[in-house]
């Protein structure tokens, strides 16, 4: 990845905005009841979520957002939970009016005794955040913004 001085201003600005938004999103993920968060995430589709298709321009925006999220989370002193990242992605995609789906899934931990939860955001075929290992999780809830 390029250094900050060689990065386009738009990408640098987006990465900085994400970096700053991760902090309040992290707090919200810890203290705001999930039923309140669910009200702002979009239309609840249960486990039957669909991923809206995007035109080339929106697909490019989603890909740039995915790159910026990865960069911002890599350069922060704390590890931000996937829910905080999903909240930030949802907020930015909502602001730029890009259709997307927020997924929540679970899987058994490696020890086999506990369950692990995960959140990820898809915009078209772009995994904006948390989507790399989404195939390992069973979807338990999704929210569509179309």
């Amino acid at each position: 990845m390029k250094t900050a001085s060689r990065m386009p201003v738009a990408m640098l600005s987006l990465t900085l905005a994400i970096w700053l938004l991760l902090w309040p999103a992290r707090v919200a993920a810890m203290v705001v009841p999930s039923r309140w968060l669910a009200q702002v995430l979009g239309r609840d589709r249960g486990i039957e979520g669909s991923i809206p298709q995007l035109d080339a321009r929106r697909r490019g925006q989603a890909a740039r957002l995915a790159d910026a999220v990865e960069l911002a989370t890599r350069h922060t002193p704390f590890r931000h939970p996937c829910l905080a990242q999903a909240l930030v992605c949802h907020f930015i995609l909502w602001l730029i009016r890009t259709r997307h789906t927020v997924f929540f899934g679970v899987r058994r931990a490696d020890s086999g005794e506990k369950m692990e939860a995960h959140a990820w955001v898809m915009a078209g075929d772009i995994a904006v955040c948390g989507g790399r290992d989404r195939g390992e999780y069973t979807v338990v809830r999704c929210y569509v913004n179309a």
Side-chain angles (χ1 to χ4, degrees):
M1 182 64 59
K2 298 176 182 176
T3 63
S5 63
R6 297 178 135 186
M7 198 179 290
V9 174
M11 183 63 154
L12 187 59
S13 299
L14 179 59
T15 303
L16 178 61
I18 292 166
W19 193 86
L20 292 171
L21 288 169
L22 280 169
W23 300 98
R26 183 176 189 207
V27 172
M30 290 188 297
V31 300
V32 176
S34 58
R35 67 180 178 277
W36 291 0
L37 289 176
Q39 293 176 0
V40 300
L41 289 177
R43 194 172 65 224
D44 185 351
R45 296 295 305 236
I47 61 170
E48 298 297 323
S50 61
I51 302 173
Q53 296 304 309
L54 302 178
D55 60 29
R57 184 174 69 86
R58 297 283 186 193
R59 194 173 181 284
Q61 288 175 329
R64 282 188 296 280
L65 178 58
D67 290 343
V69 168
E70 184 177 334
L71 187 60
T73 56
R74 195 175 340 132
H75 295 287
T76 184
F78 297 103
R79 186 174 180 278
H80 291 282
C82 57
L83 180 55
Q85 294 176 41
L87 290 173
V88 169
C89 290
H90 162 71
F91 178 68
I92 293 172
L93 289 166
W94 174 80
L95 278 177
I96 63 173
R97 292 178 165 68
T98 299
R99 298 179 299 174
H100 62 283
T101 304
V102 180
F103 289 92
F104 294 93
V106 295
R107 74 174 179 186
R108 288 226 180 262
D110 292 334
S111 65
E113 296 176 11
K114 295 183 180 181
M115 298 293 278
E116 293 179 348
H118 187 50
W120 64 97
V121 177
M122 297 291 296
D125 62 340
I126 305 292
V128 181
C129 73
R132 264 194 209 125
D133 52 355
R134 66 185 180 269
E136 299 174 18
Y137 291 86
T138 300
V139 174
V140 294
R141 200 59 135 205
C142 62
Y143 298 87
V144 177
N145 273 268

